[in-house]
Amino acid sequence: MISLFDVVYDVNTSGPGSRTEVFFAGCSKAMSGKHCKHCFNTKLWDIKNGKKTTAHELSEHILNNTIGDVCNVTFCGGEPTDQLTNLITTCKLLKNSNRKTNILVYTYHNMDKLINKPDYRDLFLNIDLLVDGPYDERYRIYDNKSNNWVKRSIGSFNQRIYKMNHHVITQYAIDKNGNLKFNRKLVI
């Protein structure tokens, strides 16, 4: 079962284009007393603050409430990868729908630690974008009025964006103006 806090539609501050933003409840890092400094989603730390649902119910809900042929979805929280198996199942169901999908996942984890974990391979193969790293107020770039989707969507420029393309992952650094700079390619 997924512990789901909320689903918000027609959001333009959680990735490129108009998106559905899915908030998973629960953050093991925060609950262990090591939350990201200045985290603004404190209500999402406790997994008990979510409503129970299945990956099938969640994916159906997203697809039934998204207008048009394109389904852009962002998973955030809390920490969505704390519920990794259900996150992967939901992503697979969305990808296997008759819609063109673009899936973005936020995680405080560092990709360098995730890339060699077998459990994450399925996630990487079923999403389009991943934003890694904890929010850091010292490097804040977030501006919900910006025309640049990166500045509207990313909290701080210490975070990185990864574009997934089958078994190749391209890493981009973010500068203080919200511009992307190619860093490296990774193969899974």
Side-chain angles (χ1 to χ4, degrees), residues 6-78:
D6 200 6
V7 179
V8 182
Y9 295 92
D10 270 342
V11 176
N12 71 354
T13 55
S14 66
S18 179
R19 306 184 75 79
T20 299
E21 192 167 18
V22 181
F23 294 89
F24 277 32
C27 177
S28 58
K29 179 179 179 179
M31 294 303 286
S32 71
K34 300 174 185 169
H35 64 84
C36 297
K37 192 174 180 180
H38 297 96
C39 176
F40 65 92
N41 281 340
T42 57
K43 291 183 281 187
L44 304 183
W45 291 357
D46 193 336
I47 199 163
K48 294 176 193 162
N49 289 339
K51 299 168 268 188
K52 298 295 181 199
T53 189
T54 67
H56 285 80
E57 291 167 341
L58 177 57
S59 60
E60 279 183 31
H61 181 76
I62 292 167
L63 292 167
N64 289 338
N65 289 284
T66 302
I67 298 169
D69 295 337
V70 178
C71 186
N72 297 321
V73 182
T74 297
F75 292 96
C76 55

Side-chain angles (χ1 to χ4, degrees), residues 93-104:
L93 290 166
L94 292 169
K95 284 290 185 184
N96 289 327
S97 73
N98 59 355
R99 300 272 184 77
K100 180 181 177 196
T101 58
N102 178 279
I103 299 174
L104 184 152

Side-chain angles (χ1 to χ4, degrees), residues 120-147:
Y120 282 83
R121 182 182 174 87
D122 253 0
L123 178 66
F124 301 148
L125 293 173
N126 287 285
I127 65 174
D128 301 283
L129 299 165
L130 183 130
V131 176
D132 83 337
Y135 170 73
D136 189 327
E137 181 72 22
R138 296 172 300 168
Y139 306 114
R140 180 180 172 85
I141 62 168
Y142 180 75
D143 176 3
N144 65 349
K145 305 272 191 259
S146 177
N147 290 327

